[in-house]
């Protein structure tokens, strides 16, 4: 078994009695970017928290083979008193990487997300999209084997959101981590991923799996192609049948 992340029959029942996730199995290999769509409250965030170890399973098992895992939330969760560069550098500080080296890596990560020139700005001096870029840089600076995303672009305006999708799939092509990405947006799911998993209403089960064959990098115009519409149609159909 060499999967970066493997879930086998995972169930989560909270002490309140709510069963958030039922019998979910999935495996992520390096180079997989799996998106999960499902109705609100079906257990998507719970699934991600289980995968990250923030929450423990009540049934089944989870196996993680990743030296480094990163987690990106809907809000950028940056430290307000630190500059953009120092927010990204924090990861290296926690890992006790020497100052010159961690600063070089943080600068490189900021360059990658298009924030060259904004190193010394503090989060409140940046736009929502820029804060999310810092958050992405921070997530990818440690070269994670596994990257977990919980609706990271949900709070962004449509234009910024499309830009961020384009950036993220470029970063994915470059870094080739295994990605698990939660979203409410069907087109975001198809555009980003190698595979879309559709969850049912609570308790969330995986009810459909749709492979996305388009090679990376994916041009923004891919969204207007009939093959793209065909896949978003399949995902929407599966969602409609099971919510
Ligand atoms: N710590 C907890 N204790 C009890 N119940 C919880 C806890 N966390 C989540 N739940 C319940 O589990 C269910 C799934 O919640 P979860 O946040 O995973 O849904 P979601 O699919 O991420 O929803 P959304 O799309 O709105 O973000 C909900 O009914 C929620 O109330
Ligand atoms: Mg959620």
């Amino acid at each position: 078994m060499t999967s970066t992340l493997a879930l086998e029959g995972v169930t989560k029942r909270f002490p309140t009695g709510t069963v958030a996730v039922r019998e979910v199995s999935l495996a992520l290999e390096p180079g997989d970017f799996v998106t999960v769509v499902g109705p609100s409250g079906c257990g998507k965030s719970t699934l991600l928290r289980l995968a990250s170890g923030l929450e423990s399973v009540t049934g089944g098992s989870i196996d993680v083979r990743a030296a480094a895992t990163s987690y990106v939330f809907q809000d950028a969760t940056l430290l307000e008193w630190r500059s953009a560069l120092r927010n990204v550098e924090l990861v290296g500080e926690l890992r006790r990487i020497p100052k010159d080296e961690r600063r070089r890596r943080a600068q490189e990560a900021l360059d990658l997300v298009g924030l060259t020139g904004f190193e010394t700005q503090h989060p409140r001096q940046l736009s929502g999209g820029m804060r999310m870029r810092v958050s992405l840089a921070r997530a990818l600076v440690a070269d994670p084997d596994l990257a977990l995303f919980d609706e990271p672009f949900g709070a962004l305006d449509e234009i910024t959101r499309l830009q961020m999708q384009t950036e993220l799939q470029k970063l994915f092509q470059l870094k080739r981590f295994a990605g698990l990405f939660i979203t409410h947006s069907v087109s975001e799911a198809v555009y980003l991923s190698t595979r879309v998993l559709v969850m049912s209403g609570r308790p969330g089960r995986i009810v459909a799996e749709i492979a996305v064959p388009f090679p990376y990098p994916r041009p923004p115009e891919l969204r207007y192609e009939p093959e793209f519409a065909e896949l978003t149609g399949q995902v929407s159909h599966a969602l409609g049948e099971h919510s």
Side-chain angles (χ1 to χ4, degrees):
M1 199 50 182
T2 57
S3 305
T4 308
L5 170 70
L7 278 69
E8 252 327 296
V10 165
T11 295
K12 176 67 182 182
R13 176 191 292 271
F14 285 107
T16 52
T18 302
V19 180
V21 176
R22 173 166 292 161
E23 295 278 326
V24 169
S25 298
L26 65 92
L28 284 192
E29 318 296 335
D32 279 345
F33 196 112
V34 172
T35 48
V36 179
V37 294
S40 185
C42 76
K44 301 180 298 297
S45 294
T46 302
L47 189 69
L48 217 65
R49 291 171 61 81
L50 290 167
S52 71
L54 283 169
E55 205 73 77
S56 56
V57 302
T58 49
S61 64
I62 297 187
D63 190 19
V64 181
R65 303 279 167 92
T69 301
S70 63
Y71 203 142
V72 186
F73 301 91
Q74 178 166 351
D75 38 339
T77 62
L78 301 174
L79 301 176
E80 291 296 332
W81 61 91
R82 283 184 163 236
S83 67
L85 186 70
R86 300 250 300 131
N87 262 283
V88 178
E89 227 185 301
L90 182 65
V91 180
E93 283 174 39
L94 297 173
R95 295 168 154 238
R96 300 187 189 284
I97 292 171
K99 186 170 177 178
D100 286 356
E101 172 69 7
R102 69 175 192 241
R103 186 144 289 187
R104 188 186 64 72
R105 286 200 208 168
Q107 181 66 54
E108 200 177 271
L110 281 180
D111 293 344
L112 268 180
V113 297
L115 284 181
T116 312
F118 291 92
E119 297 80 2
T120 61
Q121 308 275 306
H122 283 67
R124 65 174 177 283
Q125 300 169 309
L126 300 171
S127 71
M130 291 161 108
R131 282 197 292 272
M132 185 44 75
R133 284 170 196 269
V134 178
S135 184
L136 277 184
R138 186 184 55 186
L140 299 178
V141 70
D143 274 326
D145 308 290
L146 177 63
L148 306 170
F149 303 88
D150 193 355
E151 297 196 54
F153 307 151
L156 302 176
D157 65 88
E158 183 70 7
I159 296 167
T160 309
R161 186 171 188 158
L162 296 180
Q163 274 172 357
M164 295 304 294
Q165 292 168 10
T166 307
E167 300 281 328
L168 179 58
Q169 58 84 35
K170 273 193 210 152
L171 290 170
F172 172 65
Q173 194 201 14
L174 205 66
K175 301 271 184 179
R176 285 287 157 176
F177 45 81
L180 187 60
F181 188 106
I182 307 291
T183 178
H184 275 113
S185 160
V186 172
S187 87
E188 179 167 277
V190 171
Y191 179 73
L192 288 175
S193 71
T194 55
R195 198 152 34 110
V196 182
L197 303 178
V198 179
M199 277 176 90
S200 68
R202 197 177 57 246
R205 291 171 300 117
I206 293 171
V207 289
E209 176 172 338
I210 291 142
V212 183
F214 311 120
Y216 297 86
R218 297 178 174 177
E221 303 75 40
L222 174 65
R223 299 184 181 90
Y224 314 131
E225 299 294 332
E227 294 84 356
F228 188 87
E230 163 66 28
L231 287 174
T232 56
Q234 282 181 31
V235 175
S236 299
H237 181 74
L239 269 174
E241 279 198 327
H242 296 279
S243 50

